[in-house]
Amino acid sequence: MNIYGFQKSTLLDYPEHLACTIFTGTCNFCCPFCHNGGLVLHTASLPLIPEEEIFSYLKKRQSILEGVCITGGEPTLQKDLKQFIIQIKQLGYQVKLDTNGYRPQILQELLQEHLLDYVAMDIKNSPQSYAKTCGISTIELEHINTSIALLKNSQINYEFRTTVIEELHSADDMLAISEWLKGDSRYYIQCYQDSPDLIMKGYHAHSVQTLQHFLTLMLPNLPNAKLRGVDEE
């Protein structure tokens, strides 16, 4: 595994669990608003963290930590992801995977072998705006559709989520997302936050009022939709 970051304790990344977070490198997208730009563009200049260091820590924290979140970059690009998760599961941890859903065959294999306990899948935008939001020229939306269906038909906890940006997401986009995902899936509208490691500068967050409006538009199709990272007062 190409591991470039390790957060030893978090209450935010894995819902309702005390967990640690592992950051893998490289991605098949280049979302301009990505706040982990170094993991996408500059892995060659980043130091690798040995797996041995990760597992040494996990063994010491077995009585304290509950889960491990694997994020990126895009973790499904790692050729030894499956074996890495098997070793984590052997230590008794629950595993959460963050993914863009563009490699459904990997997601399917991990689900079939009961190696995942929670999946958070990014829904970048409406189908019409997907490629632009991912920073690529063309996209095979069937890969995204397959991953959506895999999660909806799985027996594990999962969520869909969209980081919403003023320059990229309109009310029409948000309504189209809700029609696309329609059902009782857990879904989060995430407020964009600036970061020093962005791939591209110049993006802005929608106002809280606009995000609340988006939520109102989406709730008829996604009754379990919520805002995340937003002060609603």
Side-chain angles (χ1 to χ4, degrees):
M1 286 277 287
N2 292 322
I3 301 169
Y4 295 97
F6 184 35
Q7 184 177 356
K8 294 184 175 181
S9 180
T10 175
L11 287 168
L12 299 177
D13 292 344
Y14 195 151
E16 301 178 1
H17 289 80
L18 178 62
C20 65
T21 303
I22 293 164
F23 296 85
T24 64
T26 71
C27 190
N28 40 15
F29 292 167
C30 192
C31 305
F33 55 91
C34 178
H35 63 271
N36 285 334
L39 295 175
V40 177
L41 301 175
H42 308 298
T43 54
S45 65
L46 300 175
L48 278 168
I49 299 174
E51 287 187 18
E52 294 77 11
E53 180 179 326
I54 303 294
F55 286 114
S56 176
Y57 179 80
L58 292 178
K59 288 173 183 176
K60 292 176 183 176
R61 305 293 283 182
Q62 278 178 289
S63 61
I64 300 173
L65 290 178
E66 301 169 287
V68 177
C69 178
I70 305 175
T71 188
E74 173 50 43
T76 61
L77 294 173
Q78 302 294 320
K79 66 180 186 306
D80 46 358
L81 176 64
K82 176 181 169 181
Q83 186 56 42
F84 185 73
I85 294 176
I86 288 173
Q87 291 178 262
I88 293 173
K89 298 291 285 182
Q90 288 172 343
L91 294 174
Y93 288 100
Q94 297 190 59
V95 173
K96 172 179 177 273
L97 178 71
D98 292 348
T99 181
N100 60 28
Y102 208 54
R103 301 195 76 199
Q105 69 277 18
I106 303 299
L107 180 60
Q108 183 177 31
E109 182 179 8
L110 296 175
L111 288 170
Q112 286 178 339
E113 300 197 24
H114 307 290
L115 294 175
L116 301 176
D117 301 285
Y118 196 107
V119 173
M121 178 177 163
D122 293 318
I123 302 296
K124 301 296 184 179
N125 209 330
S126 63
Q128 307 93 300
S129 303
Y130 222 89
K132 177 183 177 182
T133 308
C134 294
I136 55 180
S137 57
T138 60
I139 194 164
E140 296 290 337
L141 276 177
E142 189 55 38
H143 296 337
I144 305 297
N145 285 324
T146 300
S147 289
I148 290 170
L150 283 169
L151 291 178
K152 284 189 171 187
N153 293 318
S154 73
Q155 301 301 311
I156 68 166
N157 291 321
Y158 68 90
E159 67 181 58
F160 299 120
R161 60 192 187 182
T162 304
T163 300
V164 181
I165 294 113
E166 186 176 7
E167 290 80 6
L168 296 174
H169 299 87
S170 67
D172 287 343
D173 285 319
M174 302 308 289
L175 183 58
I177 290 171
S178 75
E179 292 169 347
W180 187 17
L181 300 179
K182 187 174 183 178
D184 60 0
S185 300
R186 188 179 297 169
Y187 175 82
Y188 292 98
I189 298 172
Q190 298 187 154
C191 183
Y192 167 78
Q193 295 183 350
D194 209 354
S195 163
D197 199 23
L198 289 170
I199 287 180
M200 186 179 295
K201 304 288 185 181
Y203 291 105
H204 301 88
H206 281 288
S207 68
V208 173
Q209 291 76 16
T210 299
L211 294 177
Q212 289 172 332
H213 174 60
F214 289 168
L215 180 62
T216 300
L217 289 176
M218 301 181 85
L219 281 171
N221 289 322
L222 289 170
N224 291 320
K226 295 180 180 178
L227 300 181
R228 175 183 278 162
V230 177
D231 185 353
E232 298 183 61
E233 294 183 0

